[in-house]
Amino acid sequence: MARGRAAGYDDQRELILARAAALFAQRGYPATSMNEVAQACGLSKATLYHYYRDKYALLVSIAEGHVRKLDTLVAEVLAQGLAPELRLRALIRRIVAEYAGAQHAHRVLTEDVRFLEAADRERVLGHERAVVAGFAQAVAGLRPELAAAALAKPMTMLLFGMLNWMFTWVQPDGALDHDTLAPMVADLFLGGLPAVQPPGAGGLPAVQPPDAGGLPAVQPPQFIAAGIAQAHQA
């Protein structure tokens, strides 16, 4: 009869992944040893190998586990059938919230995926493509003519240019947290999206008045809170 896994086995695996992700993010994947991972987890090296066969297995699990979560949450939002703007706002909010709790794993995904073997890298990139496709679908819902001009994906990549590098400068104990920044990103992107013109669609877009969106549409946190309070009082 096969022996079952000990209670807490999965929790221990998750702890190991979290500690390994922190080390990879801080030191880099090539410079981190299994001895260091074991020490960070308070385990012997032999015990660590009971959970993961080698350092490469840790890298695959961190990168693929993180991007699978992103893929899943995008699918969940799309399945809700929200109106186009609400759909994109929900995607931004959910992805930023996931990044907030996985900054080390996200750094590993963005910087160490190049160390994956071809099959593993392609599997991870497949999930990344699905995430981008989900966002591009939401952008196309707001601006169908951009999709027709093959611009929905480029607009999505510009959005991810804001999202993907937040981990490099947002401080967990800073004045602005991820919950505060998510609606700002949405306001900035959604405010500017209407001004984007497909190439050959009549030259440069007309200059928009200050209240038309983009940067002027971004509200300081206290103004957002005040607006919500007023809406509840109305």
Side-chain angles (χ1 to χ4, degrees), residues 74-113:
V74 168
E76 289 173 352
V77 172
L78 295 180
Q80 294 174 10
L82 300 172
E85 180 174 336
L86 292 178
R87 182 187 310 139
L88 190 54
R89 286 186 178 276
L91 285 170
I92 292 171
R93 183 180 69 253
R94 289 286 302 276
I95 211 90
V96 169
E98 183 62 34
Y99 285 176
Q103 289 181 293
H104 296 315
H106 190 64
R107 183 182 286 271
V108 172
L109 178 64
T110 56
E111 297 183 359
D112 293 332
V113 70

Short mmCIF file of all heavy atoms in Angstrom, two decimals, residues 74-113:
data_model
loop_
_atom_site.label_atom_id
_atom_site.label_comp_id
_atom_site.label_asym_id
_atom_site.label_seq_id
_atom_site.Cartn_x
_atom_site.Cartn_y
_atom_site.Cartn_z
N VAL A 74 -7.48 35.96 -15.17
CA VAL A 74 -7.97 36.62 -16.38
C VAL A 74 -9.19 35.87 -16.92
O VAL A 74 -10.20 36.50 -17.29
CB VAL A 74 -6.86 36.69 -17.45
CG1 VAL A 74 -7.43 37.11 -18.81
CG2 VAL A 74 -5.79 37.69 -17.02
N ALA A 75 -9.13 34.55 -16.95
CA ALA A 75 -10.26 33.75 -17.42
C ALA A 75 -11.49 33.97 -16.54
O ALA A 75 -12.62 34.04 -17.04
CB ALA A 75 -9.88 32.27 -17.46
N GLU A 76 -11.26 34.08 -15.24
CA GLU A 76 -12.38 34.31 -14.31
C GLU A 76 -13.07 35.64 -14.59
O GLU A 76 -14.30 35.73 -14.59
CB GLU A 76 -11.88 34.26 -12.87
CG GLU A 76 -11.48 32.88 -12.40
CD GLU A 76 -10.84 32.89 -11.02
OE1 GLU A 76 -10.56 33.99 -10.48
OE2 GLU A 76 -10.61 31.80 -10.48
N VAL A 77 -12.28 36.70 -14.81
CA VAL A 77 -12.87 38.01 -15.09
C VAL A 77 -13.63 37.99 -16.41
O VAL A 77 -14.75 38.49 -16.51
CB VAL A 77 -11.78 39.10 -15.10
CG1 VAL A 77 -12.37 40.44 -15.58
CG2 VAL A 77 -11.18 39.27 -13.71
N LEU A 78 -13.05 37.41 -17.44
CA LEU A 78 -13.71 37.38 -18.75
C LEU A 78 -15.02 36.60 -18.68
O LEU A 78 -15.98 36.93 -19.39
CB LEU A 78 -12.78 36.76 -19.79
CG LEU A 78 -11.50 37.54 -20.12
CD1 LEU A 78 -10.69 36.80 -21.18
CD2 LEU A 78 -11.82 38.95 -20.59
N ALA A 79 -15.07 35.59 -17.83
CA ALA A 79 -16.28 34.77 -17.72
C ALA A 79 -17.42 35.49 -17.03
O ALA A 79 -18.57 35.03 -17.08
CB ALA A 79 -15.96 33.48 -16.97
N GLN A 80 -17.15 36.63 -16.39
CA GLN A 80 -18.19 37.36 -15.67
C GLN A 80 -19.13 38.13 -16.59
O GLN A 80 -20.20 38.56 -16.16
CB GLN A 80 -17.56 38.32 -14.66
CG GLN A 80 -16.83 37.61 -13.53
CD GLN A 80 -16.10 38.58 -12.62
OE1 GLN A 80 -16.27 39.80 -12.71
NE2 GLN A 80 -15.25 38.06 -11.74
N GLY A 81 -18.73 38.32 -17.83
CA GLY A 81 -19.59 39.02 -18.78
C GLY A 81 -19.81 40.49 -18.45
O GLY A 81 -20.90 41.02 -18.68
N LEU A 82 -18.79 41.15 -17.94
CA LEU A 82 -18.90 42.55 -17.56
C LEU A 82 -18.92 43.46 -18.79
O LEU A 82 -18.47 43.07 -19.88
CB LEU A 82 -17.73 42.96 -16.67
CG LEU A 82 -17.57 42.20 -15.34
CD1 LEU A 82 -16.26 42.57 -14.67
CD2 LEU A 82 -18.75 42.48 -14.43
N ALA A 83 -19.43 44.67 -18.62
CA ALA A 83 -19.36 45.68 -19.68
C ALA A 83 -17.90 45.99 -19.96
O ALA A 83 -17.03 45.80 -19.09
CB ALA A 83 -20.10 46.94 -19.24
N PRO A 84 -17.57 46.46 -21.18
CA PRO A 84 -16.17 46.59 -21.58
C PRO A 84 -15.28 47.35 -20.61
O PRO A 84 -14.19 46.86 -20.25
CB PRO A 84 -16.27 47.30 -22.93
CG PRO A 84 -17.57 46.84 -23.49
CD PRO A 84 -18.49 46.75 -22.30
N GLU A 85 -15.69 48.54 -20.17
CA GLU A 85 -14.81 49.29 -19.27
C GLU A 85 -14.67 48.61 -17.92
O GLU A 85 -13.57 48.53 -17.36
CB GLU A 85 -15.33 50.72 -19.07
CG GLU A 85 -14.42 51.52 -18.14
CD GLU A 85 -14.81 52.99 -18.00
OE1 GLU A 85 -15.46 53.52 -18.93
OE2 GLU A 85 -14.45 53.60 -16.98
N LEU A 86 -15.78 48.10 -17.38
CA LEU A 86 -15.72 47.40 -16.10
C LEU A 86 -14.84 46.15 -16.21
O LEU A 86 -14.13 45.80 -15.27
CB LEU A 86 -17.12 47.02 -15.64
CG LEU A 86 -18.04 48.17 -15.24
CD1 LEU A 86 -19.41 47.64 -14.85
CD2 LEU A 86 -17.43 48.97 -14.08
N ARG A 87 -14.88 45.49 -17.36
CA ARG A 87 -14.06 44.30 -17.57
C ARG A 87 -12.58 44.65 -17.50
O ARG A 87 -11.81 43.98 -16.82
CB ARG A 87 -14.39 43.67 -18.92
CG ARG A 87 -13.61 42.38 -19.22
CD ARG A 87 -13.88 41.92 -20.65
NE ARG A 87 -15.29 41.89 -20.92
CZ ARG A 87 -15.85 42.29 -22.06
NH1 ARG A 87 -15.10 42.80 -23.02
NH2 ARG A 87 -17.16 42.22 -22.23
N LEU A 88 -12.19 45.72 -18.18
CA LEU A 88 -10.77 46.08 -18.18
C LEU A 88 -10.34 46.58 -16.81
O LEU A 88 -9.23 46.26 -16.35
CB LEU A 88 -10.50 47.14 -19.25
CG LEU A 88 -9.02 47.43 -19.53
CD1 LEU A 88 -8.25 46.15 -19.86
CD2 LEU A 88 -8.86 48.44 -20.65
N ARG A 89 -11.18 47.33 -16.14
CA ARG A 89 -10.85 47.78 -14.79
C ARG A 89 -10.69 46.58 -13.85
O ARG A 89 -9.79 46.57 -13.00
CB ARG A 89 -11.92 48.74 -14.26
CG ARG A 89 -11.86 50.13 -14.88
CD ARG A 89 -12.83 51.08 -14.22
NE ARG A 89 -12.74 52.41 -14.79
CZ ARG A 89 -11.85 53.33 -14.43
NH1 ARG A 89 -10.98 53.05 -13.46
NH2 ARG A 89 -11.81 54.51 -15.01
N ALA A 90 -11.57 45.60 -13.99
CA ALA A 90 -11.47 44.42 -13.13
C ALA A 90 -10.20 43.64 -13.42
O ALA A 90 -9.53 43.14 -12.50
CB ALA A 90 -12.69 43.52 -13.34
N LEU A 91 -9.82 43.52 -14.69
CA LEU A 91 -8.58 42.84 -15.03
C LEU A 91 -7.38 43.55 -14.43
O LEU A 91 -6.48 42.90 -13.86
CB LEU A 91 -8.44 42.77 -16.55
CG LEU A 91 -9.32 41.76 -17.29
CD1 LEU A 91 -9.24 41.98 -18.79
CD2 LEU A 91 -8.92 40.33 -16.94
N ILE A 92 -7.35 44.86 -14.54
CA ILE A 92 -6.23 45.63 -13.98
C ILE A 92 -6.18 45.46 -12.46
O ILE A 92 -5.12 45.22 -11.88
CB ILE A 92 -6.34 47.11 -14.38
CG1 ILE A 92 -6.11 47.28 -15.89
CG2 ILE A 92 -5.34 47.97 -13.59
CD1 ILE A 92 -6.42 48.66 -16.42
N ARG A 93 -7.34 45.58 -11.82
CA ARG A 93 -7.38 45.46 -10.36
C ARG A 93 -6.91 44.08 -9.91
O ARG A 93 -6.10 43.96 -8.98
CB ARG A 93 -8.80 45.72 -9.86
CG ARG A 93 -8.92 45.68 -8.34
CD ARG A 93 -10.34 45.94 -7.89
NE ARG A 93 -11.24 44.84 -8.25
CZ ARG A 93 -12.15 44.89 -9.20
NH1 ARG A 93 -12.31 46.00 -9.91
NH2 ARG A 93 -12.92 43.85 -9.47
N ARG A 94 -7.40 43.03 -10.57
CA ARG A 94 -7.04 41.67 -10.16
C ARG A 94 -5.57 41.37 -10.41
O ARG A 94 -4.90 40.74 -9.60
CB ARG A 94 -7.92 40.66 -10.91
CG ARG A 94 -9.38 40.63 -10.50
CD ARG A 94 -9.58 39.95 -9.16
NE ARG A 94 -9.07 38.59 -9.15
CZ ARG A 94 -9.74 37.52 -9.60
NH1 ARG A 94 -10.97 37.67 -10.09
NH2 ARG A 94 -9.20 36.31 -9.52
N ILE A 95 -5.04 41.84 -11.54
CA ILE A 95 -3.65 41.53 -11.86
C ILE A 95 -2.71 42.28 -10.92
O ILE A 95 -1.70 41.74 -10.46
CB ILE A 95 -3.34 41.84 -13.34
CG1 ILE A 95 -2.27 40.88 -13.89
CG2 ILE A 95 -2.84 43.26 -13.54
CD1 ILE A 95 -2.80 39.64 -14.50
N VAL A 96 -3.05 43.52 -10.59
CA VAL A 96 -2.22 44.30 -9.66
C VAL A 96 -2.27 43.67 -8.27
O VAL A 96 -1.25 43.59 -7.57
CB VAL A 96 -2.67 45.77 -9.62
CG1 VAL A 96 -1.99 46.52 -8.48
CG2 VAL A 96 -2.35 46.46 -10.95
N ALA A 97 -3.44 43.21 -7.85
CA ALA A 97 -3.56 42.57 -6.54
C ALA A 97 -2.72 41.30 -6.49
O ALA A 97 -2.07 41.01 -5.47
CB ALA A 97 -5.03 42.24 -6.26
N GLU A 98 -2.69 40.54 -7.57
CA GLU A 98 -1.87 39.33 -7.61
C GLU A 98 -0.39 39.67 -7.57
O GLU A 98 0.39 39.03 -6.87
CB GLU A 98 -2.20 38.52 -8.86
CG GLU A 98 -1.45 37.20 -8.96
CD GLU A 98 -1.78 36.23 -7.83
OE1 GLU A 98 -2.94 36.23 -7.36
OE2 GLU A 98 -0.87 35.49 -7.42
N TYR A 99 0.00 40.71 -8.30
CA TYR A 99 1.39 41.14 -8.29
C TYR A 99 1.82 41.57 -6.88
O TYR A 99 2.96 41.35 -6.47
CB TYR A 99 1.60 42.32 -9.24
CG TYR A 99 1.64 41.98 -10.71
CD1 TYR A 99 1.75 42.99 -11.66
CD2 TYR A 99 1.55 40.67 -11.16
CE1 TYR A 99 1.79 42.69 -13.03
CE2 TYR A 99 1.58 40.37 -12.51
CZ TYR A 99 1.70 41.39 -13.43
OH TYR A 99 1.74 41.10 -14.77
N ALA A 100 0.90 42.20 -6.16
CA ALA A 100 1.24 42.72 -4.83
C ALA A 100 1.68 41.61 -3.89
O ALA A 100 2.58 41.80 -3.07
CB ALA A 100 0.04 43.46 -4.23
N GLY A 101 1.07 40.44 -4.01
CA GLY A 101 1.41 39.33 -3.13
C GLY A 101 2.44 38.38 -3.71
O GLY A 101 2.73 37.35 -3.10
N ALA A 102 2.96 38.70 -4.88
CA ALA A 102 3.89 37.78 -5.54
C ALA A 102 5.03 38.53 -6.22
O ALA A 102 5.43 38.19 -7.33
CB ALA A 102 3.13 36.93 -6.56
N GLN A 103 5.54 39.54 -5.54
CA GLN A 103 6.57 40.37 -6.17
C GLN A 103 7.84 39.58 -6.49
O GLN A 103 8.45 39.78 -7.54
CB GLN A 103 6.89 41.57 -5.29
CG GLN A 103 5.77 42.61 -5.25
CD GLN A 103 6.12 43.80 -4.38
OE1 GLN A 103 6.25 43.69 -3.17
NE2 GLN A 103 6.28 44.95 -5.01
N HIS A 104 8.23 38.67 -5.60
CA HIS A 104 9.43 37.88 -5.85
C HIS A 104 9.20 36.92 -7.02
O HIS A 104 10.06 36.80 -7.91
CB HIS A 104 9.84 37.10 -4.60
CG HIS A 104 10.25 37.96 -3.45
ND1 HIS A 104 11.09 39.04 -3.60
CD2 HIS A 104 9.92 37.91 -2.13
CE1 HIS A 104 11.29 39.61 -2.41
NE2 HIS A 104 10.58 38.95 -1.52
N ALA A 105 8.07 36.25 -7.02
CA ALA A 105 7.77 35.32 -8.11
C ALA A 105 7.67 36.05 -9.43
O ALA A 105 8.10 35.54 -10.48
CB ALA A 105 6.46 34.57 -7.82
N HIS A 106 7.14 37.27 -9.40
CA HIS A 106 7.01 38.03 -10.65
C HIS A 106 8.38 38.45 -11.16
O HIS A 106 8.62 38.43 -12.38
CB HIS A 106 6.13 39.25 -10.43
CG HIS A 106 5.76 39.95 -11.71
ND1 HIS A 106 5.00 39.34 -12.67
CD2 HIS A 106 6.08 41.17 -12.20
CE1 HIS A 106 4.86 40.17 -13.70
NE2 HIS A 106 5.51 41.28 -13.43
N ARG A 107 9.28 38.80 -10.28
CA ARG A 107 10.63 39.15 -10.72
C ARG A 107 11.31 37.93 -11.34
O ARG A 107 12.00 38.04 -12.36
CB ARG A 107 11.46 39.68 -9.54
CG ARG A 107 12.86 40.13 -9.96
CD ARG A 107 13.66 40.60 -8.75
NE ARG A 107 13.22 41.89 -8.26
CZ ARG A 107 13.69 43.07 -8.69
NH1 ARG A 107 14.60 43.09 -9.66
NH2 ARG A 107 13.26 44.19 -8.17
N VAL A 108 11.11 36.76 -10.72
CA VAL A 108 11.68 35.53 -11.28
C VAL A 108 11.09 35.28 -12.67
O VAL A 108 11.82 34.93 -13.61
CB VAL A 108 11.39 34.33 -10.35
CG1 VAL A 108 11.80 33.02 -11.02
CG2 VAL A 108 12.14 34.50 -9.03
N LEU A 109 9.78 35.47 -12.83
CA LEU A 109 9.15 35.25 -14.12
C LEU A 109 9.71 36.18 -15.18
O LEU A 109 9.95 35.77 -16.32
CB LEU A 109 7.63 35.43 -14.00
CG LEU A 109 6.82 35.28 -15.28
CD1 LEU A 109 6.92 33.86 -15.82
CD2 LEU A 109 5.36 35.65 -15.05
N THR A 110 9.91 37.43 -14.85
CA THR A 110 10.36 38.41 -15.84
C THR A 110 11.85 38.31 -16.14
O THR A 110 12.28 38.61 -17.25
CB THR A 110 10.03 39.84 -15.39
OG1 THR A 110 10.61 40.08 -14.10
CG2 THR A 110 8.53 40.05 -15.29
N GLU A 111 12.64 37.87 -15.15
CA GLU A 111 14.09 37.92 -15.33
C GLU A 111 14.76 36.56 -15.52
O GLU A 111 15.84 36.48 -16.12
CB GLU A 111 14.73 38.62 -14.12
CG GLU A 111 14.29 40.08 -13.98
CD GLU A 111 14.98 40.80 -12.83
OE1 GLU A 111 15.80 40.16 -12.13
OE2 GLU A 111 14.71 42.00 -12.64
N ASP A 112 14.14 35.48 -15.04
CA ASP A 112 14.83 34.19 -15.05
C ASP A 112 14.19 33.17 -15.99
O ASP A 112 14.65 32.02 -16.05
CB ASP A 112 14.88 33.60 -13.64
CG ASP A 112 15.78 34.41 -12.71
OD1 ASP A 112 16.72 35.05 -13.22
OD2 ASP A 112 15.53 34.42 -11.49
N VAL A 113 13.13 33.56 -16.72
CA VAL A 113 12.50 32.62 -17.63
C VAL A 113 13.49 32.17 -18.70
O VAL A 113 13.35 31.08 -19.28
CB VAL A 113 11.23 33.25 -18.26
CG1 VAL A 113 11.59 34.36 -19.23
CG2 VAL A 113 10.38 32.18 -18.94
#
